[in-house]
Amino acid sequence: MVVADDQAAVREPLAAVLDLTEGIDVVAGAADGTEVLAAVAAGPVDVVLMDLRMPVMDGTEATRRLSEEHPETAVVVLTTFADDDSILAALSAGARGYLTKNAGRQDIVRAIRAAAAGQAVLDHEVQNRLLATVRTRPPAGVQPLPPDLTRREREVLTLIGQGLPNRAIAEKLFISEATVKTHINNLFAKAGIQDRADAVRRALAAGLA
């Protein structure tokens, strides 16, 4: 895995602790998004533990690039920021997990292992924040889901709401990634969903995530 944080005082001790954990091998540290992309391109990397606020290329953009160029690499965000915009932007970019830096070592290890297994992990603070966003949004802001969604489209929306990228959704449902994309296109068209962040909001509003 790769540990990305622009502060060496955070990155290096965290990388050292994780590298001593059974089943986790830290192959590189990165101070910005460009270093993350270079490290992943240099060799197979299962998980990136990603800070959001970094120079040169921030964590959200690096996550988006990884989702497009290296979809086999899972991203777990570890940041001090738990505001709505940061959370939704990271999930929309393809992050599989989102933790704040209040998370303990075991929480971080659990999230890394879950991400490597294709699962999504949101810490309680982040989950509560997302739920609060949905509850306080004006009714007109989140439209109800149309009744003609298929069972599979609802399953896909549920997994998007949990922060899973397309490949992980395909693995969960035992279908191809191309089929997932077809379901997403149909789902977005039927429900008037604009993007992945909007899909997360709609899934939460419908109680699917």
Side-chain angles (χ1 to χ4, degrees), residues 21 56 114 168 197:
T21 302
V56 186

Side-chain angles (χ1 to χ4, degrees), residues 9 11 23-24 55 60 65 76 79 107 113 143-144 152 196 203 206-207:
R11 181 180 68 250
I24 295 179
T60 302
R65 291 277 300 275
V76 175
T79 181
D107 293 327
R113 289 175 172 161
Q143 299 298 325
R152 183 65 87 191
R196 220 170 177 90

Side-chain angles (χ1 to χ4, degrees), residues 9 27 43 74-75 93 97 105 112 127 132 136 144 150 201 207:
V27 298
V75 173
R105 174 188 170 186
I112 291 169
Q127 185 74 29
T136 58
T150 66
R201 297 187 193 100

